[in-house]
Amino acid sequence: MGRTKEDASIGIIGMGDMGKMYAQRLSDAGWRPENFESLKQEFASQKGVTIFPNGHLVSRISDYILYSVEAGVIDKVVAQYGLSTKVGAIVGGQTSCKAPELAAFEKHLPSDVEIVSCHSLHGPKVNPQGQPLVLIQHRASDESLKFVENILSSFGSKHVHLTGEMHDRITADTQAVTHAAFLSMGTAWHANTQFPWEHGRWVGGIENVKINITLRIYSNKWHVYAGLAILNPAAKQQIRQYAESVTDLYKLMIGGQREELKRRVKAAGASVFRPGSEGQDLLLKDEVLDRFSLSNRPREKAPPNSHLSLLAIVDCWSKLGIVPYDHMICSTPLFRLWLGVTEYLFRNQDLLEEALDTAIDDSTFRSDDLEFTFAARAWSDCVSFGDFESYRHRFERIAEYFAPRFPEAVTLGNEMMKTILEKTTSNN
Ligand SMILES: NC(=O)C1=CN([C@@H]2O[C@H](COP(=O)(O)OP(=O)(O)OC[C@H]3O[C@@H](n4cnc5c(N)ncnc54)[C@H](OP(=O)(O)O)[C@@H]3O)[C@@H](O)[C@H]2O)C=CC1
Ligand SMILES: O=C(O)C(=O)Cc1ccc(O)cc1
């Protein structure tokens, strides 16, 4: 078709956080994205960006059109603008779950339109340099794939080529279950009316990661997490298994079944953290993690914690036959942190023994773990029922509780991510 990136016109439909990030980065590189009227002001000084009042005007003049809207409305939005797509253009989407996105493209786009979708595996505030960027050549020539790769090359991201189906399976393993764990932590703290940074029980590196990531998620938009969990069929099963693992381990803890608990957790650990990996560097180290505390309490020795959330993720991975290291190439920053803290616990035999003995002998964490168990099951039900409104309600109620600390948590969380990400690239 003879398109070159120099004279290509790039259209973005959905100028939210991700759409704006793409617009800024693509225009820096000399292309033109667009959107609607209210953004004119914001982008007035950004060279190469034209804001249009609607997706029809974007679609009819663009060579590559990227839908960056909420996953739950993708069908409606493509139905709305799809027929205005320029003849012979390429269309893609940025939603976090590809099955509904690709189905919407197939259903509503004219047959001369090619489809190359994408997914930046990080949030809008993370530098895309070196982060994974999934590309899906769904209905397109090799030449058109190259054209899109060329356009997005200015991000400096690592291109990962997958089918839509592979993408959804991997992101269910990496994203959906990770979010379920942190959402459950926030729910449990809220249920016990705790702000964890105000307690001596949650000090130290692992706890800093738990608190900062939980607040980071709740300070974000609910629909991002709801969409990628509810619309991805593989996610339901993963999240359900996580809730079952939490419940089973909690029952062993309150039943005082020390030997059975140790046997089960260690067997799961052996299948996830394969023998022979002992000599390898840990993804995260305590001196790094210790720096990022929301608490102004003096740093004491971290008190023992049962770490139910971490024991359960390893049990869950083991039950589903998931080896999380296999997904590093397609991992998000949060997943790498989550794997990092889990590995930190499981590759330190003393720490793991201490957590397991604490779970049996020390009742300090019982009520927290009880609420965590309820929370994991409730999030799993919410996702299984496919209920966006109740997801939104649960999410926003808890977000409101933590909101006063968001500004501080986001600043600290960004710093923590930046430092830790330098040490945990997706190559690890
Ligand atoms: N945030 C993140 O960390 C990441 C998000 N994603 C995915 O990217 C997509 C966008 O997410 P994000 O930018 O965070 O969410 P936002 O809510 O910030 O952006 C979504 C945007 O789509 C717009 N929109 C909805 N319907 C239409 C329409 N008919 N015409 C034009 N615009 C429309 C919304 O406008 P309005 O507000 O006016 O309704 C909003 O600006 C989602 O599918 C998400 O899953 C992918 C990677 C990371
Ligand atoms: O890193 C994470 O898991 C995030 O929460 C940010 C995020 C959210 C949605 C995506 O589709 C990709 C990245």
Side-chain angles (χ1 to χ4, degrees), residues 18 94-97 119-124 126 167 171 174-176 178-179 216-217 220 224-225 228 331-335 417:
M18 288 306 279
Q94 170 64 235
T95 70
S96 312
C97 178
H119 186 190
S120 285
L121 288 175
H122 55 84
V126 172
H167 166 278
T171 53
T174 51
Q175 289 195 276
T178 303
H179 298 152
R216 191 182 176 84
I217 287 177
N220 222 321
V224 173
Y225 305 107
L228 69 83
S331 63
T332 67
L334 293 197
F335 176 73
M417 299 278 272

Short mmCIF file of all heavy atoms in Angstrom, two decimals, residues 18 94-97 119-124 126 167 171 174-176 178-179 216-217 220 224-225 228 331-335 417, ligand 2:
data_model
loop_
_atom_site.label_atom_id
_atom_site.label_comp_id
_atom_site.label_asym_id
_atom_site.label_seq_id
_atom_site.Cartn_x
_atom_site.Cartn_y
_atom_site.Cartn_z
N MET A 18 -4.42 6.39 28.99
CA MET A 18 -3.54 5.70 28.03
C MET A 18 -3.54 6.40 26.68
O MET A 18 -2.51 6.55 26.03
CB MET A 18 -3.95 4.24 27.86
CG MET A 18 -3.64 3.35 29.03
SD MET A 18 -1.92 3.38 29.57
CE MET A 18 -1.13 2.27 28.42
N GLN A 94 -6.28 -0.94 22.47
CA GLN A 94 -5.34 -0.92 23.59
C GLN A 94 -5.98 -1.57 24.81
O GLN A 94 -5.40 -1.58 25.89
CB GLN A 94 -5.00 0.57 23.86
CG GLN A 94 -4.22 0.90 25.11
CD GLN A 94 -2.85 0.31 25.11
OE1 GLN A 94 -2.47 -0.41 26.05
NE2 GLN A 94 -2.08 0.58 24.11
N THR A 95 -7.18 -2.17 24.64
CA THR A 95 -7.85 -2.70 25.83
C THR A 95 -7.05 -3.89 26.38
O THR A 95 -6.27 -4.54 25.66
CB THR A 95 -9.30 -3.15 25.54
OG1 THR A 95 -9.27 -4.31 24.73
CG2 THR A 95 -10.12 -2.05 24.88
N SER A 96 -7.28 -4.17 27.65
CA SER A 96 -6.45 -5.17 28.33
C SER A 96 -6.91 -6.60 28.11
O SER A 96 -6.26 -7.53 28.57
CB SER A 96 -6.45 -4.87 29.84
OG SER A 96 -6.18 -3.51 30.07
N CYS A 97 -8.06 -6.77 27.45
CA CYS A 97 -8.54 -8.14 27.18
C CYS A 97 -8.92 -8.20 25.70
O CYS A 97 -9.72 -7.39 25.23
CB CYS A 97 -9.73 -8.44 28.07
SG CYS A 97 -10.42 -10.07 27.74
N HIS A 119 -1.02 -3.89 23.11
CA HIS A 119 -1.27 -3.72 24.54
C HIS A 119 0.05 -3.37 25.23
O HIS A 119 0.95 -4.21 25.30
CB HIS A 119 -1.86 -5.02 25.13
CG HIS A 119 -2.28 -4.91 26.56
ND1 HIS A 119 -2.63 -6.00 27.32
CD2 HIS A 119 -2.40 -3.85 27.39
CE1 HIS A 119 -2.95 -5.62 28.53
NE2 HIS A 119 -2.81 -4.32 28.61
N SER A 120 0.13 -2.15 25.73
CA SER A 120 1.31 -1.76 26.53
C SER A 120 1.11 -2.33 27.93
O SER A 120 0.12 -2.00 28.60
CB SER A 120 1.39 -0.23 26.64
OG SER A 120 1.84 0.30 25.42
N LEU A 121 2.05 -3.16 28.36
CA LEU A 121 1.85 -3.85 29.63
C LEU A 121 2.35 -3.02 30.82
O LEU A 121 3.19 -3.48 31.62
CB LEU A 121 2.52 -5.22 29.60
CG LEU A 121 1.79 -6.22 28.70
CD1 LEU A 121 2.54 -7.52 28.58
CD2 LEU A 121 0.37 -6.48 29.19
N HIS A 122 1.85 -1.81 30.90
CA HIS A 122 2.20 -0.93 32.02
C HIS A 122 1.20 0.20 32.05
O HIS A 122 0.48 0.45 31.06
CB HIS A 122 3.62 -0.38 31.84
CG HIS A 122 3.80 0.33 30.53
ND1 HIS A 122 3.45 1.65 30.35
CD2 HIS A 122 4.24 -0.10 29.32
CE1 HIS A 122 3.70 2.00 29.10
NE2 HIS A 122 4.16 0.95 28.44
N GLY A 123 1.15 0.92 33.17
CA GLY A 123 0.23 2.04 33.31
C GLY A 123 0.75 3.28 32.60
O GLY A 123 1.90 3.32 32.14
N PRO A 124 -0.10 4.32 32.55
CA PRO A 124 0.25 5.53 31.80
C PRO A 124 1.39 6.34 32.40
O PRO A 124 1.98 7.16 31.71
CB PRO A 124 -1.06 6.34 31.82
CG PRO A 124 -1.88 5.78 32.93
CD PRO A 124 -1.48 4.36 33.10
N VAL A 126 4.16 5.03 33.70
CA VAL A 126 5.42 4.28 33.63
C VAL A 126 6.09 4.57 32.28
O VAL A 126 5.42 4.61 31.24
CB VAL A 126 5.15 2.76 33.79
CG1 VAL A 126 6.39 1.93 33.53
CG2 VAL A 126 4.60 2.46 35.18
N HIS A 167 -2.48 -13.97 24.36
CA HIS A 167 -2.42 -12.76 25.18
C HIS A 167 -3.37 -12.87 26.38
O HIS A 167 -2.99 -12.58 27.52
CB HIS A 167 -2.81 -11.54 24.32
CG HIS A 167 -3.10 -10.32 25.13
ND1 HIS A 167 -4.33 -10.11 25.73
CD2 HIS A 167 -2.32 -9.26 25.50
CE1 HIS A 167 -4.30 -8.97 26.42
NE2 HIS A 167 -3.09 -8.44 26.29
N THR A 171 -2.18 -12.93 30.31
CA THR A 171 -2.52 -11.79 31.18
C THR A 171 -3.48 -12.20 32.31
O THR A 171 -3.53 -11.54 33.35
CB THR A 171 -3.10 -10.59 30.39
OG1 THR A 171 -4.18 -11.06 29.59
CG2 THR A 171 -2.03 -9.95 29.52
N THR A 174 -0.96 -13.33 34.83
CA THR A 174 -0.08 -12.30 35.38
C THR A 174 -0.88 -11.17 36.02
O THR A 174 -0.68 -10.86 37.19
CB THR A 174 0.82 -11.70 34.27
OG1 THR A 174 0.00 -11.30 33.19
CG2 THR A 174 1.83 -12.71 33.78
N GLN A 175 -1.80 -10.59 35.29
CA GLN A 175 -2.47 -9.39 35.80
C GLN A 175 -3.66 -9.69 36.71
O GLN A 175 -3.72 -9.17 37.82
CB GLN A 175 -2.99 -8.56 34.63
CG GLN A 175 -1.88 -7.89 33.86
CD GLN A 175 -2.46 -6.82 32.97
OE1 GLN A 175 -2.90 -7.11 31.86
NE2 GLN A 175 -2.47 -5.60 33.43
N ALA A 176 -4.60 -10.50 36.22
CA ALA A 176 -5.88 -10.61 36.92
C ALA A 176 -5.72 -11.14 38.34
O ALA A 176 -6.28 -10.60 39.30
CB ALA A 176 -6.82 -11.49 36.12
N THR A 178 -3.00 -11.15 40.16
CA THR A 178 -2.19 -10.20 40.95
C THR A 178 -3.11 -9.12 41.52
O THR A 178 -3.05 -8.79 42.72
CB THR A 178 -1.11 -9.53 40.06
OG1 THR A 178 -0.32 -10.55 39.48
CG2 THR A 178 -0.24 -8.58 40.84
N HIS A 179 -3.93 -8.56 40.66
CA HIS A 179 -4.84 -7.51 41.14
C HIS A 179 -5.77 -8.06 42.21
O HIS A 179 -6.05 -7.38 43.20
CB HIS A 179 -5.66 -6.95 39.98
CG HIS A 179 -4.81 -6.29 38.93
ND1 HIS A 179 -5.18 -6.21 37.61
CD2 HIS A 179 -3.59 -5.72 38.99
CE1 HIS A 179 -4.23 -5.60 36.92
NE2 HIS A 179 -3.25 -5.30 37.74
N ARG A 216 -1.85 2.01 45.15
CA ARG A 216 -1.69 2.37 43.73
C ARG A 216 -2.89 1.86 42.92
O ARG A 216 -3.44 2.56 42.08
CB ARG A 216 -0.39 1.76 43.22
CG ARG A 216 0.05 2.26 41.88
CD ARG A 216 1.32 1.55 41.47
NE ARG A 216 1.72 1.95 40.16
CZ ARG A 216 2.44 3.04 39.89
NH1 ARG A 216 2.84 3.82 40.85
NH2 ARG A 216 2.75 3.34 38.65
N ILE A 217 -3.28 0.62 43.18
CA ILE A 217 -4.42 0.04 42.44
C ILE A 217 -5.71 0.79 42.77
O ILE A 217 -6.46 1.19 41.88
CB ILE A 217 -4.54 -1.48 42.75
CG1 ILE A 217 -3.40 -2.23 42.05
CG2 ILE A 217 -5.91 -2.02 42.33
CD1 ILE A 217 -3.34 -3.71 42.30
N ASN A 220 -6.40 4.10 41.13
CA ASN A 220 -6.58 4.04 39.68
C ASN A 220 -8.07 3.92 39.32
O ASN A 220 -8.91 3.91 40.19
CB ASN A 220 -5.82 2.81 39.17
CG ASN A 220 -5.08 3.09 37.91
OD1 ASN A 220 -5.57 3.80 37.04
ND2 ASN A 220 -3.89 2.53 37.78
N VAL A 224 -10.48 -0.44 34.67
CA VAL A 224 -9.30 -1.12 34.11
C VAL A 224 -9.22 -2.53 34.70
O VAL A 224 -9.06 -3.52 33.98
CB VAL A 224 -8.01 -0.32 34.41
CG1 VAL A 224 -6.78 -1.09 33.98
CG2 VAL A 224 -8.06 1.05 33.74
N TYR A 225 -9.37 -2.62 36.02
CA TYR A 225 -9.26 -3.93 36.71
C TYR A 225 -10.50 -4.79 36.46
O TYR A 225 -10.39 -5.99 36.25
CB TYR A 225 -9.02 -3.70 38.20
CG TYR A 225 -7.82 -2.82 38.41
CD1 TYR A 225 -7.95 -1.49 38.81
CD2 TYR A 225 -6.55 -3.27 38.09
CE1 TYR A 225 -6.84 -0.66 38.93
CE2 TYR A 225 -5.44 -2.46 38.20
CZ TYR A 225 -5.59 -1.15 38.61
OH TYR A 225 -4.50 -0.34 38.71
N LEU A 228 -10.40 -6.23 32.74
CA LEU A 228 -9.46 -7.31 32.42
C LEU A 228 -9.76 -8.59 33.19
O LEU A 228 -9.36 -9.68 32.81
CB LEU A 228 -8.00 -6.85 32.56
CG LEU A 228 -7.38 -6.51 33.90
CD1 LEU A 228 -6.90 -7.76 34.59
CD2 LEU A 228 -6.24 -5.54 33.69
N SER A 331 5.26 -9.51 31.14
CA SER A 331 4.84 -9.19 32.51
C SER A 331 4.65 -7.69 32.71
O SER A 331 5.29 -6.89 32.04
CB SER A 331 5.91 -9.68 33.48
OG SER A 331 7.12 -9.00 33.23
N THR A 332 3.78 -7.34 33.65
CA THR A 332 3.61 -5.92 34.00
C THR A 332 4.50 -5.62 35.21
O THR A 332 4.93 -6.54 35.92
CB THR A 332 2.15 -5.61 34.40
OG1 THR A 332 1.88 -6.29 35.62
CG2 THR A 332 1.17 -6.03 33.33
N PRO A 333 4.76 -4.33 35.45
CA PRO A 333 5.56 -3.99 36.63
C PRO A 333 4.99 -4.57 37.93
O PRO A 333 5.73 -5.09 38.76
CB PRO A 333 5.50 -2.46 36.65
CG PRO A 333 5.29 -2.07 35.22
CD PRO A 333 4.44 -3.14 34.62
N LEU A 334 3.66 -4.51 38.07
CA LEU A 334 3.07 -5.02 39.32
C LEU A 334 3.29 -6.51 39.47
O LEU A 334 3.55 -7.01 40.56
CB LEU A 334 1.56 -4.76 39.37
CG LEU A 334 1.06 -3.35 39.46
CD1 LEU A 334 -0.39 -3.30 39.92
CD2 LEU A 334 1.92 -2.53 40.41
N PHE A 335 3.21 -7.23 38.38
CA PHE A 335 3.43 -8.68 38.44
C PHE A 335 4.87 -8.97 38.86
O PHE A 335 5.13 -9.87 39.67
CB PHE A 335 3.14 -9.32 37.08
CG PHE A 335 3.43 -10.80 37.04
CD1 PHE A 335 2.61 -11.69 37.69
CD2 PHE A 335 4.55 -11.28 36.36
CE1 PHE A 335 2.89 -13.06 37.67
CE2 PHE A 335 4.84 -12.64 36.33
CZ PHE A 335 4.00 -13.53 36.99
N MET A 417 8.46 2.00 42.31
CA MET A 417 8.40 1.27 41.04
C MET A 417 9.65 1.55 40.22
O MET A 417 10.23 0.66 39.64
CB MET A 417 7.19 1.73 40.22
CG MET A 417 5.88 1.51 40.87
SD MET A 417 5.29 -0.16 40.63
CE MET A 417 4.43 0.03 39.13
O1 LIG B 2 0.90 -3.34 36.15
C1 LIG B 2 -0.32 -3.58 36.31
O2 LIG B 2 -0.78 -4.71 36.47
C2 LIG B 2 -1.25 -2.45 36.34
O3 LIG B 2 -2.13 -2.40 37.14
C3 LIG B 2 -1.14 -1.45 35.22
C4 LIG B 2 -1.84 -2.01 34.05
C5 LIG B 2 -3.23 -2.04 34.01
C6 LIG B 2 -3.87 -2.56 32.89
C7 LIG B 2 -3.12 -3.04 31.86
O4 LIG B 2 -3.75 -3.57 30.81
C8 LIG B 2 -1.74 -3.03 31.88
C9 LIG B 2 -1.10 -2.49 33.01
#
